[in-house]
Amino acid sequence: MFSFRVDRRSLRFRLLAWLSSIAIVVVVATWVLHGILLNRLAQDFLGERLHREALHAVEQLRDDRSSTSLMLDSASRGYQVFHHLYVLKVGDDVRTSNPEWSQDLEPLLTDEDSGLTELTIGQQRLLVYRQPFSLEGEPGVLLVGEDFSQVEAGLATLHWWVGAIAGALLLMLATLNLLAVNRGLMPLAHLQRQLEALQAGQRQRLSVQAASELDGLVTQLNRFIDEIENRLTRSRESLANLSHALKTPLAAVTQVLRGSRPIDDERRERLLQRMEDMQALLEAELRRSRIAGPHAGRMASLQRDSQRLVEMFRGLYPSKRYELALLTKEGEAERVLPVESQDFSEMLGVLLDNAGKWSASQVWCSIEVGDKVVITVEDDGSGVPPDALPNLARRGVRFDERQPGYGLGLSILDQLIARYSGKLDFMSSPHGGLRVVIVLPALND
């Protein structure tokens, strides 16, 4: 059995619902106002006509006093034809075209003001204009009225015809709204097809040739895609490097274990050293995964990420003392840096890890936030010869074999900083070890 389901979360449904609701409100309000204004205009038009006729009749009375008797006995057929109500009072003598209305009209005969009045007598709705006058010193009142019910019936018919036309226009407007919404949502459908093609591997990035309102979304998605690709690349490189670093000691251990020669103390010591090197390499890689932290995909928080890393390395190197100094303006310690959280953690983590390895007892870390972000990490170790400082960030270069590793941390750091148009400097520390300074671009406001 066919069932029609409305997706209330759909953007198309919401747009159509809002546009249709607004159109209905506007059309209904316009139709109601049309009825009110049409009725008002008809009353004003008839009231003005009755006013002019009342003035004309009074002027005739003053010009031709002999016509008074004719007026008093309502002999004027013209007024009886064109008006349903005609009342003339001169002195105490009152004549009317319909005596049955005398009681209802009596308050108007005693009123002193002129003007239009609306009365309901039985099933009839009357518009009555009252015109007081003076005839040869004797006060008089002339009431000229007309049945407004027939006019209202005609106006109601016209009003409903206008309503029918408005309803047809409303349907046409709803159809045009549907076409406009479908046309306006085409960029979203195009973006959805691009995402499907991206998922299927048929394209590498999203096109920015979309509606201007989607430019920010497309840019953010492309940036996110680039971030994922860069992380995958770094992960593959790290895995390949780790595999290469473990391959040689594993082969050596396997060869010893498969050999027929007895394992003496010297060979056992070398075998144990190989196993410890592999364990150290695995621990270093696990440490790098911990450095990335739980906030991948977010912008770096100065206080949150830096304090998390320092606390982590205090636990990894309990014999070393880590000091952290946040040099920020008042109230800006929680400020977000213009660096992806995982990248910032890897930058700072590489420096803190190296400093912890080579320091004698203490590591200093300071982060200064101003027009630029300046990160400084230094230690009290033996340091690096001055002629070796320019080559520290070269891939695979190691100047000390006392600690396990494969010379990739600083080269990865250099690549990360280059992505953010930053600067990396190595120099000797006054404390005797190495000082590393990272300068990143200005903060986003």
Side-chain angles (χ1 to χ4, degrees):
M1 185 177 186
F2 177 77
S3 61
F4 179 75
R5 191 176 74 87
V6 176
D7 185 4
R8 297 183 181 274
R9 295 175 57 247
S10 167
L11 182 59
R12 178 180 288 103
F13 172 80
R14 293 181 181 182
L15 287 173
L16 288 175
W18 275 103
L19 290 174
S20 299
S21 300
I22 292 173
I24 290 173
V25 170
V26 171
V27 170
V28 171
T30 303
W31 182 64
V32 171
L33 290 175
H34 169 267
I36 295 174
L37 292 176
L38 188 64
N39 188 74
R40 185 64 183 173
L41 286 174
Q43 287 188 14
D44 291 343
F45 174 77
L46 291 177
E48 183 63 25
R49 194 186 72 180
L50 293 174
H51 180 205
R52 291 196 304 268
E53 293 181 358
L55 292 177
H56 178 69
V58 171
E59 195 66 28
Q60 281 187 329
L61 280 175
R62 288 173 176 168
D63 291 342
D64 188 5
R65 186 69 175 85
S66 61
S67 64
T68 303
S69 58
L70 295 176
M71 304 275 301
L72 291 173
D73 59 11
S74 301
S76 176
R77 297 295 180 180
Y79 284 108
Q80 293 187 26
V81 170
F82 291 106
H83 302 288
H84 295 85
L85 175 65
Y86 189 85
V87 180
L88 178 63
K89 177 182 178 182
V90 179
D92 295 328
D93 195 359
V94 179
R95 299 297 174 91
T96 178
S97 59
N98 193 338
E100 297 179 357
W101 294 344
S102 300
Q103 185 175 359
D104 296 306
L105 297 174
E106 185 175 353
L108 295 179
L109 295 176
T110 58
D111 196 358
E112 297 181 356
D113 298 327
S114 62
L116 186 67
T117 303
E118 185 177 342
L119 296 175
T120 301
I121 302 178
Q123 300 296 323
Q124 289 182 301
R125 199 164 159 220
L126 303 176
L127 285 180
V128 180
Y129 191 85
R130 182 181 186 279
Q131 181 63 51
F133 62 93
S134 176
L135 186 61
E136 297 181 354
E138 193 171 15
V141 176
L142 176 62
L143 303 180
V144 180
E146 186 162 346
D147 187 357
F148 193 62
S149 301
Q150 296 180 0
V151 178
E152 277 190 321
L155 294 178
T157 302
L158 176 61
H159 185 50
W160 283 108
W161 271 107
V162 171
I165 296 173
L169 292 176
L170 184 61
L171 291 176
M172 185 182 300
L173 184 60
T175 304
L176 293 176
N177 283 340
L178 178 60
L179 295 176
V181 168
N182 288 335
R183 182 70 178 177
L185 293 178
M186 285 181 64
L188 289 179
H190 179 61
L191 181 60
Q192 182 179 3
R193 289 193 293 269
Q194 289 191 41
L195 290 172
E196 292 173 353
L198 183 69
Q199 185 179 13
Q202 299 173 357
R203 63 185 306 140
Q204 299 300 319
R205 291 173 63 83
L206 300 176
S207 172
V208 295
Q209 295 180 352
S212 59
E213 289 79 5
L214 298 178
D215 286 348
L217 174 62
V218 172
T219 301
Q220 291 295 332
L221 287 174
N222 283 331
R223 185 178 300 170
F224 185 65
I225 293 169
D226 293 340
E227 291 288 345
I228 293 176
E229 185 64 29
N230 290 328
R231 290 181 196 141
L232 287 175
T233 301
R234 294 205 301 270
S235 297
R236 293 190 190 102
E237 291 177 352
S238 298
L239 183 59
N241 293 325
L242 180 62
S243 300
H244 179 73
L246 293 175
K247 183 178 180 180
T248 300
L250 278 175
V253 171
T254 303
Q255 184 179 5
V256 170
L257 293 177
R258 285 181 176 177
S260 58
R261 292 175 55 187
I263 303 176
D264 54 21
D265 291 340
E266 182 181 355
R267 297 186 68 191
R268 183 179 291 107
E269 185 66 27
R270 289 201 303 267
L271 184 63
L272 182 60
Q273 183 63 42
R274 295 279 190 179
M275 298 294 291
E276 288 177 349
D277 289 345
M278 287 189 292
Q279 183 178 2
L281 288 172
L282 291 174
E283 288 179 352
E285 196 61 31
L286 289 174
R287 187 159 55 247
R288 283 191 60 197
S289 66
R290 290 179 61 188
I291 287 173
H295 301 291
R298 305 182 189 176
M299 291 294 101
S301 170
L302 176 62
Q303 187 173 31
R304 178 196 66 200
D305 292 335
S306 59
Q307 288 183 349
R308 177 182 65 84
L309 288 171
V310 168
E311 290 298 328
M312 186 185 78
F313 282 104
R314 284 172 179 167
L316 291 174
Y317 299 102
S319 62
K320 311 295 176 67
R321 192 171 78 178
Y322 280 81
E323 290 188 6
L324 174 64
L326 301 178
L327 307 177
T328 62
K329 296 178 181 179
E330 185 178 357
E332 288 193 346
E334 293 290 344
R335 194 166 186 180
V336 174
L337 303 181
V339 181
E340 203 274 334
S341 179
Q342 184 169 339
D343 291 341
F344 174 77
S345 296
E346 194 158 358
M347 290 179 195
L348 187 57
V350 167
L351 297 182
L352 294 175
D353 191 20
N354 282 346
K357 285 180 183 178
W358 305 112
S359 65
S361 62
Q362 192 162 0
V363 175
W364 293 269
C365 175
S366 68
I367 303 177
E368 183 178 358
V369 180
D371 294 336
K372 295 185 177 181
V373 182
V374 181
I375 304 173
T376 304
V377 176
E378 51 188 325
D379 61 82
D380 61 351
S382 58
V384 177
D387 58 343
L389 292 175
N391 298 319
L392 276 179
R394 287 176 54 192
R395 184 179 179 85
V397 173
R398 298 184 65 200
F399 295 97
D400 196 329
E401 302 291 338
R402 289 177 298 171
Q403 296 285 353
Y406 27 84
L408 296 175
L410 293 179
S411 66
I412 293 174
L413 173 65
D414 189 43
Q415 295 173 4
L416 283 174
I417 294 173
R419 287 183 55 205
Y420 292 96
S421 301
K423 184 180 178 182
L424 175 64
D425 288 325
F426 300 99
M427 61 194 74
S428 297
S429 170
H431 303 286
L434 178 68
R435 172 184 285 180
V436 184
V437 179
I438 298 175
V439 180
L440 296 174
L443 289 171
N444 293 328
D445 292 329

